Amino acid sequence: MTILDKFAHLRATYGSLQAMGQDPFSVRFDKVVSPNEAMLNGRRVILLGTNNYLGLTFDESCIASAVEAVREAGTGTTGSRIANGTYGSHAELERRLADFYGRRSAMVFTTGYQANLGILSTVAGPDDHILIDADSHASIYDGCRLGSAKVTRFRHNDPDDLARRLRRMKDLPGNKLIVVEGIYSMLGDAAPLKEFVEVKREWGGFLLVDEAHSMGVLGAKGRGLAEQVGVEADVDFIVGTFSKSLGAVGGYCVSDLPDFDVLRVACRPYMFTASLPPSVIASVTQALTRVEQDTGLRQRLAFNAHRLYHGLQREGFIVGPQPNPIVSIRLPSLETAITFWNALLESGVYLNLALPPATPDNFPLLRSSVSAAHTTEQIDQVISVFASIGRSLGVIEPEVVAAE
Amino acid sequence: MNELDTIAAEIIKAINALPQVQQSVTQDTNIARDLGLDSLAVMNFVMTLEDQFDVSISMDKLADIKTVRDLADAIAELKRHQTGT
Ligand SMILES: Cc1ncc(COP(=O)(O)O)c(C=O)c1O
């Protein structure tokens, strides 16, 4: 008996995965050479699963800002935001984020995970209720568990189900906080946010939208789904991350609530961890400028997303409900998914293998995330690699020889 | 049958309709352990019951529920509080 015995069945599942080829959970790139290419086991692979939506990880201006900051201010802050860990640049980035969203306040966290953990566990107290989408990200579930509010799940992307639950609790005391995501990370489907807002207006409550996968992706200004569908005024909290479109690491929450800043001395995942290093703050600040100034990035991203989504759909793959930069195909079994994933890697394409129970409906997924940095040739190459593996594994129908 | 037994009977009927479940189910059946359902499967199953009985069971309450009887108790309790609303 050891204290880790409880993981025996996880160990067994993981072992059988490893036995089928390259271990999807311990891929080690020899070198990442650009936002869309890496060397893996001595071979060049296309990166198609890195959430690097705008390709800004290698942006010259972001790199230059980070290099300058590391020289000027050192490698780390070695302290918490409420002690020695807030430099002028942290405060300036918060100002910039608030301005970007046209809101009163912004708080920067060390990761997006911690932003959800901190906001959800602090904003909702023991007498309050949090209503979360059943397919919420782990950080949302964990934020609920860390806090003391009562938590209810509603069916994924189902405003009617949310309304039913709010109706049932209409006489209960306490505030209600509704939590949804802009784009869901498994299938790339967006929330029906207009309809959720109508439910909120009818039943009352506060609304938090996690725009982790939609910031820099959706909306004319890149502010996300709330901007795209024109309901920003109805969203009380927006949470986001620096680890996707902005190409670094970190998280944030913006809000118009007048007392928002009191959370800085109440929110434990904000207070009891070291702040982001100056170089990260600098590259993120510059990345935000790029998002504001270069609308072409979003256009290229949308072009690539549509090309991949429709290309795979035309080949006969089962894709998610909407063309967004996350493009997932559904596979019939675990074995097929793992074989497919290994074959893609053999053919020079890296993407994410997503397995139940982390996936909706308990089907394994091959999850791509498209970048503005991908070339049209890369997208087309990926589609043809998918098609030939899909045919050889019987996932899609054999090629029909069409008359030209 | 009292109210609790009626609710428990409905729950057992719903459990028997789950594709994963083969064994016979009583009020003492431990929903997760005896039926081999993971926590997500339990949460999703409870969602269908919530609609059936028109109640919402919060996740912290769900954490305390082990057997079919516990679940029936919780639903009966919620119905008492939520009816008429
Ligand atoms: C919806 C959602 N929220 C939050 C996060 C956490 O972001 P971070 O990587 O900054 O911790 C993620 C990242 O996976 C996410 O998908």
Short mmCIF file of all heavy atoms in Angstrom, two decimals, chain A residues 51 110-114 116 136-140 181 183-185 210-213 239-244 249-251 367, ligand 1:
data_model
loop_
_atom_site.label_atom_id
_atom_site.label_comp_id
_atom_site.label_asym_id
_atom_site.label_seq_id
_atom_site.Cartn_x
_atom_site.Cartn_y
_atom_site.Cartn_z
N ASN A 51 -2.91 26.73 -29.45
CA ASN A 51 -3.71 27.90 -29.00
C ASN A 51 -3.04 29.24 -29.31
O ASN A 51 -3.39 30.24 -28.71
CB ASN A 51 -3.97 27.85 -27.49
CG ASN A 51 -4.48 26.51 -27.04
OD1 ASN A 51 -5.49 26.05 -27.53
ND2 ASN A 51 -3.77 25.88 -26.12
N THR A 110 -1.49 35.68 -12.22
CA THR A 110 -0.31 35.00 -12.73
C THR A 110 -0.62 33.98 -13.82
O THR A 110 0.22 33.69 -14.67
CB THR A 110 0.49 34.41 -11.56
OG1 THR A 110 0.78 35.48 -10.65
CG2 THR A 110 1.79 33.78 -12.01
N THR A 111 -1.83 33.41 -13.80
CA THR A 111 -2.29 32.58 -14.92
C THR A 111 -3.80 32.82 -15.10
O THR A 111 -4.45 33.35 -14.18
CB THR A 111 -2.10 31.06 -14.68
OG1 THR A 111 -2.93 30.65 -13.59
CG2 THR A 111 -0.65 30.69 -14.39
N GLY A 112 -4.32 32.38 -16.22
CA GLY A 112 -5.76 32.44 -16.43
C GLY A 112 -6.48 31.49 -15.48
O GLY A 112 -7.58 31.78 -15.01
N TYR A 113 -5.85 30.37 -15.21
CA TYR A 113 -6.41 29.41 -14.26
C TYR A 113 -6.64 30.09 -12.91
O TYR A 113 -7.71 29.98 -12.31
CB TYR A 113 -5.44 28.23 -14.13
CG TYR A 113 -5.84 27.17 -13.13
CD1 TYR A 113 -6.64 26.10 -13.52
CD2 TYR A 113 -5.41 27.23 -11.81
CE1 TYR A 113 -7.00 25.12 -12.60
CE2 TYR A 113 -5.76 26.26 -10.89
CZ TYR A 113 -6.56 25.21 -11.29
OH TYR A 113 -6.93 24.25 -10.38
N GLN A 114 -5.63 30.84 -12.48
CA GLN A 114 -5.76 31.53 -11.19
C GLN A 114 -6.77 32.68 -11.25
O GLN A 114 -7.38 33.01 -10.23
CB GLN A 114 -4.39 32.05 -10.73
CG GLN A 114 -3.53 30.94 -10.16
CD GLN A 114 -2.06 31.30 -10.18
OE1 GLN A 114 -1.48 31.46 -11.25
NE2 GLN A 114 -1.47 31.45 -9.02
N ASN A 116 -9.64 32.62 -12.87
CA ASN A 116 -10.93 31.97 -12.60
C ASN A 116 -11.02 31.51 -11.16
O ASN A 116 -12.04 31.68 -10.49
CB ASN A 116 -11.15 30.78 -13.54
CG ASN A 116 -11.84 31.20 -14.83
OD1 ASN A 116 -12.59 32.18 -14.84
ND2 ASN A 116 -11.57 30.49 -15.90
N SER A 136 -17.92 23.48 -18.62
CA SER A 136 -16.94 24.51 -18.26
C SER A 136 -15.53 23.94 -18.10
O SER A 136 -15.34 22.78 -17.73
CB SER A 136 -17.35 25.16 -16.93
OG SER A 136 -18.47 25.98 -17.09
N HIS A 137 -14.56 24.83 -18.34
CA HIS A 137 -13.14 24.50 -18.15
C HIS A 137 -12.86 24.14 -16.69
O HIS A 137 -13.52 24.62 -15.77
CB HIS A 137 -12.31 25.72 -18.55
CG HIS A 137 -10.84 25.47 -18.57
ND1 HIS A 137 -10.00 25.88 -17.55
CD2 HIS A 137 -10.06 24.84 -19.47
CE1 HIS A 137 -8.76 25.52 -17.85
NE2 HIS A 137 -8.77 24.90 -19.01
N ALA A 138 -11.85 23.30 -16.48
CA ALA A 138 -11.48 22.85 -15.14
C ALA A 138 -11.25 24.01 -14.18
O ALA A 138 -11.58 23.92 -12.99
CB ALA A 138 -10.22 21.99 -15.22
N SER A 139 -10.71 25.12 -14.67
CA SER A 139 -10.43 26.25 -13.78
C SER A 139 -11.72 26.85 -13.23
O SER A 139 -11.72 27.40 -12.12
CB SER A 139 -9.62 27.32 -14.51
OG SER A 139 -10.30 27.77 -15.66
N ILE A 140 -12.81 26.73 -13.97
CA ILE A 140 -14.10 27.24 -13.49
C ILE A 140 -14.65 26.29 -12.42
O ILE A 140 -15.08 26.73 -11.35
CB ILE A 140 -15.08 27.40 -14.67
CG1 ILE A 140 -14.58 28.52 -15.59
CG2 ILE A 140 -16.50 27.68 -14.18
CD1 ILE A 140 -15.35 28.70 -16.88
N GLU A 181 -18.47 30.49 -21.26
CA GLU A 181 -17.23 30.76 -21.98
C GLU A 181 -17.56 31.33 -23.36
O GLU A 181 -18.61 31.03 -23.91
CB GLU A 181 -16.40 29.47 -22.13
CG GLU A 181 -15.94 28.92 -20.78
CD GLU A 181 -15.21 27.59 -20.90
OE1 GLU A 181 -14.61 27.31 -21.96
OE2 GLU A 181 -15.24 26.81 -19.93
N ILE A 183 -15.70 30.91 -26.39
CA ILE A 183 -15.59 29.76 -27.28
C ILE A 183 -15.15 28.58 -26.40
O ILE A 183 -14.22 28.73 -25.60
CB ILE A 183 -14.55 30.00 -28.40
CG1 ILE A 183 -15.05 31.09 -29.37
CG2 ILE A 183 -14.27 28.71 -29.18
CD1 ILE A 183 -14.07 31.39 -30.52
N TYR A 184 -15.81 27.46 -26.54
CA TYR A 184 -15.47 26.29 -25.72
C TYR A 184 -14.27 25.56 -26.32
O TYR A 184 -14.20 25.37 -27.54
CB TYR A 184 -16.69 25.37 -25.56
CG TYR A 184 -17.60 25.97 -24.52
CD1 TYR A 184 -18.52 26.96 -24.85
CD2 TYR A 184 -17.47 25.63 -23.18
CE1 TYR A 184 -19.31 27.57 -23.87
CE2 TYR A 184 -18.24 26.23 -22.20
CZ TYR A 184 -19.16 27.19 -22.55
OH TYR A 184 -19.90 27.80 -21.58
N SER A 185 -13.37 25.15 -25.42
CA SER A 185 -12.05 24.72 -25.89
C SER A 185 -12.04 23.33 -26.52
O SER A 185 -11.09 22.98 -27.19
CB SER A 185 -11.04 24.77 -24.74
OG SER A 185 -11.46 23.92 -23.71
N ASP A 210 -15.87 33.90 -19.70
CA ASP A 210 -14.45 33.54 -19.84
C ASP A 210 -14.13 33.59 -21.34
O ASP A 210 -14.56 32.73 -22.10
CB ASP A 210 -14.22 32.15 -19.26
CG ASP A 210 -12.76 31.69 -19.38
OD1 ASP A 210 -12.01 32.29 -20.19
OD2 ASP A 210 -12.38 30.73 -18.69
N GLU A 211 -13.39 34.61 -21.74
CA GLU A 211 -13.06 34.79 -23.17
C GLU A 211 -11.66 34.25 -23.49
O GLU A 211 -10.99 34.76 -24.40
CB GLU A 211 -13.17 36.28 -23.55
CG GLU A 211 -14.55 36.89 -23.30
CD GLU A 211 -15.41 37.04 -24.56
OE1 GLU A 211 -15.20 36.29 -25.54
OE2 GLU A 211 -16.31 37.91 -24.54
N ALA A 212 -11.23 33.22 -22.76
CA ALA A 212 -9.88 32.67 -22.95
C ALA A 212 -9.58 32.37 -24.43
O ALA A 212 -8.51 32.69 -24.93
CB ALA A 212 -9.69 31.40 -22.11
N HIS A 213 -10.54 31.74 -25.12
CA HIS A 213 -10.30 31.34 -26.51
C HIS A 213 -10.92 32.30 -27.52
O HIS A 213 -10.88 32.03 -28.72
CB HIS A 213 -10.85 29.93 -26.75
CG HIS A 213 -10.12 28.87 -25.99
ND1 HIS A 213 -8.96 28.28 -26.45
CD2 HIS A 213 -10.35 28.34 -24.77
CE1 HIS A 213 -8.53 27.41 -25.56
NE2 HIS A 213 -9.36 27.42 -24.52
N VAL A 239 -13.24 37.37 -17.95
CA VAL A 239 -11.98 36.75 -17.56
C VAL A 239 -11.26 36.35 -18.85
O VAL A 239 -11.90 36.00 -19.84
CB VAL A 239 -12.22 35.51 -16.67
CG1 VAL A 239 -10.96 34.68 -16.51
CG2 VAL A 239 -12.75 35.94 -15.30
N GLY A 240 -9.94 36.44 -18.82
CA GLY A 240 -9.19 36.03 -20.00
C GLY A 240 -7.79 35.57 -19.63
O GLY A 240 -7.43 35.55 -18.45
N THR A 241 -7.05 35.21 -20.65
CA THR A 241 -5.70 34.68 -20.43
C THR A 241 -4.71 35.36 -21.36
O THR A 241 -5.10 35.82 -22.44
CB THR A 241 -5.68 33.16 -20.64
OG1 THR A 241 -4.33 32.70 -20.53
CG2 THR A 241 -6.19 32.77 -22.02
N PHE A 242 -3.45 35.41 -20.96
CA PHE A 242 -2.38 35.88 -21.85
C PHE A 242 -1.75 34.69 -22.58
O PHE A 242 -0.81 34.87 -23.35
CB PHE A 242 -1.28 36.59 -21.05
CG PHE A 242 -1.76 37.78 -20.24
CD1 PHE A 242 -1.10 38.14 -19.08
CD2 PHE A 242 -2.85 38.54 -20.66
CE1 PHE A 242 -1.53 39.24 -18.32
CE2 PHE A 242 -3.29 39.63 -19.91
CZ PHE A 242 -2.62 39.98 -18.74
N SER A 243 -2.22 33.47 -22.28
CA SER A 243 -1.49 32.29 -22.77
C SER A 243 -1.96 31.82 -24.14
O SER A 243 -1.50 30.79 -24.62
CB SER A 243 -1.62 31.15 -21.75
OG SER A 243 -2.92 30.60 -21.77
N LYS A 244 -2.88 32.53 -24.77
CA LYS A 244 -3.35 32.07 -26.08
C LYS A 244 -3.09 33.17 -27.13
O LYS A 244 -1.99 33.25 -27.65
CB LYS A 244 -4.80 31.63 -25.97
CG LYS A 244 -4.93 30.54 -24.86
CD LYS A 244 -6.28 29.95 -24.74
CE LYS A 244 -6.47 29.21 -23.43
NZ LYS A 244 -5.55 28.06 -23.24
N VAL A 249 1.99 34.17 -20.90
CA VAL A 249 1.34 33.48 -19.79
C VAL A 249 0.77 34.54 -18.87
O VAL A 249 1.30 35.66 -18.78
CB VAL A 249 2.35 32.56 -19.05
CG1 VAL A 249 3.47 33.36 -18.39
CG2 VAL A 249 1.67 31.68 -18.02
N GLY A 250 -0.32 34.21 -18.19
CA GLY A 250 -0.95 35.17 -17.28
C GLY A 250 -2.44 35.21 -17.50
O GLY A 250 -2.95 34.62 -18.46
N GLY A 251 -3.15 35.90 -16.59
CA GLY A 251 -4.61 35.98 -16.73
C GLY A 251 -5.11 37.31 -16.23
O GLY A 251 -4.35 38.09 -15.63
N ARG A 367 -8.04 17.55 -31.70
CA ARG A 367 -8.32 18.98 -31.57
C ARG A 367 -7.22 19.82 -32.20
O ARG A 367 -6.07 19.77 -31.77
CB ARG A 367 -8.46 19.32 -30.09
CG ARG A 367 -8.63 20.77 -29.81
CD ARG A 367 -8.55 21.01 -28.30
NE ARG A 367 -8.73 22.40 -27.98
CZ ARG A 367 -7.75 23.30 -27.97
NH1 ARG A 367 -6.53 22.94 -28.29
NH2 ARG A 367 -7.98 24.54 -27.66
C1 LIG C 1 -11.73 28.39 -20.93
C2 LIG C 1 -10.41 28.52 -20.27
N1 LIG C 1 -10.29 29.28 -19.18
C3 LIG C 1 -9.10 29.43 -18.57
C4 LIG C 1 -7.96 28.80 -19.01
C5 LIG C 1 -6.69 28.93 -18.23
O1 LIG C 1 -5.76 29.71 -18.87
P1 LIG C 1 -4.22 29.71 -18.47
O2 LIG C 1 -3.52 28.86 -19.47
O3 LIG C 1 -3.83 31.14 -18.58
O4 LIG C 1 -4.08 29.21 -17.07
C6 LIG C 1 -8.03 28.04 -20.16
C7 LIG C 1 -6.80 27.41 -20.69
O5 LIG C 1 -6.69 26.28 -20.99
C8 LIG C 1 -9.29 27.87 -20.80
O6 LIG C 1 -9.40 27.07 -21.88
#
